[in-house]
Amino acid sequence: MFAEPDALSFFPLSYSLPRGLGSPSMADTRLPSERPPARARAKVPAPAAGHRATGAAVRGSGPRDPGVPPDAAITLAFVPPGPDFAISADARMPSITVAATPAAPPDGPLQFVWTITLGSASAGCAHARDRVTHHPDIVVTTDSGRLTIPFTHVRGGRLSVAVAVDVAGHRLTAVRSNLRIVGTNPTLADLAARLTAAPDAFKRLMRLESGLRQFRAPDCPLWSADDLGGVGLCQLTPPGSDDQIWDWTANVDGGLALYRAKERTARSHAATVQGGAAFRAQVGALNARRAAAGLAALVVRVPDYTAAQLELDTIRAFNGYAGGLHEFRLRTDADNTLFVTRDATGSAVAEWVRVTAAERVAHYETVGVAAGHRGDPNYVDDVLARASF
């Protein structure tokens, strides 16, 4: 239900009445059915074919049919008035109610056909490239001139509201297309409530990636400055859906799912190395040297990551293993021979060491990783330097 008329904020597209009915004051913006019957109102005679009204008087050419009101019109009013309507900080679409009022409706029921479109082009948004988002079109018929727009997805961009109503066999239409749905960044409290089970490293990573922003400006999501299409709080590259562009909760959920997937990859890295040809070649070279020295061959085991090593390699994975390089490599001697130690059982065990930023850049040069696809050589340390929340 609407509030009392004097409590409403209207944003009229136009408002005109047939001659003889006077001009409504700004204080009386009630629909005709809501005003007391102070005096009888004139009925609207049927307009001639070819005449229409689209929010203001529209007259046909040639002699006017005397049955057509010269100022036939339909008015659109919005609550709140707009023209900007904000997605809430907790990622809910705005509640927008529209009232359509024919200037002098006849007695009897009317049917209002509403068409709402909402879409966003990338023009004007930094680093957006050519990404376009779209809310499914909404077409609704109501028996009254009021509609609370039934959004089904969290989307932003240009909003258009059109209505058509048949009055005495003739169609009146109105449209407002200078409207916008804009974004709102979440608060720290919103983020903390959403991420109670997220690891601390992920929260630090989010702060580095986006400064904890989903939107660069109210009408522009935060697109990655590298022009690779990353977006939002977690800079998902590319986003898996339009939801992750406009709904920060979807972006964060997607980012955390990606972090967990990267963690699984990092966790399996030791087994991948153990079964790889490169490691077998390293062990072969080590045992060749041992044989030359009269020593027995060794069976070498690659250890699993410690919890701390797993976290660091997961952070690296989120930014990407550019050139196939993880956060850690197996330690070698000065002559590039595999370094091993003995564990408590006497078995030979390899050892993990962190790859330095200088080693990482040198590797990129060696394998030919393009500058725009290398990521940040210091990414892990940069993440760890950020505050959690």
Side-chain angles (χ1 to χ4, degrees), residues 17-339:
L17 291 173
R19 292 190 181 98
L21 296 187
S23 299
S25 69
M26 292 304 293
D28 187 9
T29 55
R30 291 171 290 182
L31 298 176
S33 61
E34 296 172 321
R35 291 196 290 269
R39 65 175 186 272
R41 292 192 295 275
K43 292 186 177 181
V44 180
H51 288 271
R52 61 189 180 87
T54 57
V58 178
R59 297 182 177 86
S61 59
R64 183 178 65 82
D65 186 327
V68 178
D71 295 314
I74 186 169
T75 299
L76 288 181
F78 292 77
V79 181
D84 287 356
F85 307 92
I87 300 168
S88 68
D90 60 350
R92 297 178 184 274
M93 287 295 281
S95 177
I96 306 171
T97 302
V98 193
T101 308
D107 295 333
L110 297 175
Q111 281 200 325
F112 297 78
V113 180
W114 305 84
T115 303
I116 293 93
T117 61
L118 173 59
S120 172
S122 58
C125 291
H127 309 292
R129 304 192 303 176
D130 56 354
R131 185 63 186 254
V132 175
T133 63
H134 179 70
H135 187 288
D137 290 350
I138 300 170
V139 179
V140 181
T141 300
T142 63
D143 293 330
S144 73
R146 291 172 172 170
L147 175 71
T148 298
I149 300 176
F151 294 113
T152 57
H153 297 73
V154 179
R155 296 288 186 274
R158 295 290 176 181
L159 174 68
S160 174
V161 177
V163 66
V165 58
D166 292 328
V167 177
H170 296 269
R171 176 150 292 197
L172 303 179
T173 62
V175 62
R176 279 286 304 278
S177 57
N178 63 331
L179 309 170
R180 299 191 308 173
I181 304 293
V182 298
T184 303
N185 285 314
T187 66
L188 276 177
D190 292 326
L191 290 170
R194 189 78 181 183
L195 294 169
T196 54
D200 186 69
F202 178 70
K203 299 175 185 178
R204 294 173 184 267
L205 180 154
M206 285 176 54
R207 193 182 288 275
L208 174 67
E209 289 285 352
S210 64
L212 303 182
R213 296 175 297 159
Q214 180 71 18
F215 302 98
R216 184 182 300 274
D219 58 342
C220 288
L222 179 66
W223 296 97
S224 60
D226 59 10
D227 294 317
L228 296 179
V231 71
L233 284 153
C234 298
Q235 291 292 280
L236 298 177
T237 310
S241 68
D242 287 355
D243 292 329
Q244 294 176 347
I245 297 174
W246 288 100
D247 181 346
W248 71 259
T249 65
N251 191 281
V252 166
D253 291 350
L256 184 55
L258 178 62
Y259 184 90
R260 296 298 192 194
K262 299 298 186 181
E263 185 177 54
R264 291 191 293 272
T265 299
R267 192 184 302 277
S268 67
H269 184 52
T272 301
V273 171
Q274 182 85 54
F279 177 69
R280 290 196 298 271
Q282 285 181 303
V283 173
L286 170 65
N287 282 329
R289 289 189 59 183
R290 290 178 60 83
L295 300 173
L298 296 174
V299 176
V300 183
R301 177 174 60 87
V302 177
D304 289 333
Y305 281 150
T306 66
Q309 289 170 336
L310 177 63
E311 178 178 87
L312 300 187
D313 200 44
T314 302
I315 294 171
R316 173 62 62 185
F318 197 91
N319 189 238
Y321 294 131
L325 197 57
H326 285 243
E327 187 63 15
F328 296 89
R329 62 173 178 81
L330 292 179
R331 180 178 173 182
T332 56
D333 290 330
D335 59 359
N336 205 35
T337 301
L338 185 66
F339 180 90

Side-chain angles (χ1 to χ4, degrees), residues 3-10 29 79:
E4 288 299 316
D6 60 358
L8 292 177
S9 297
F10 285 118
T29 55
V79 181

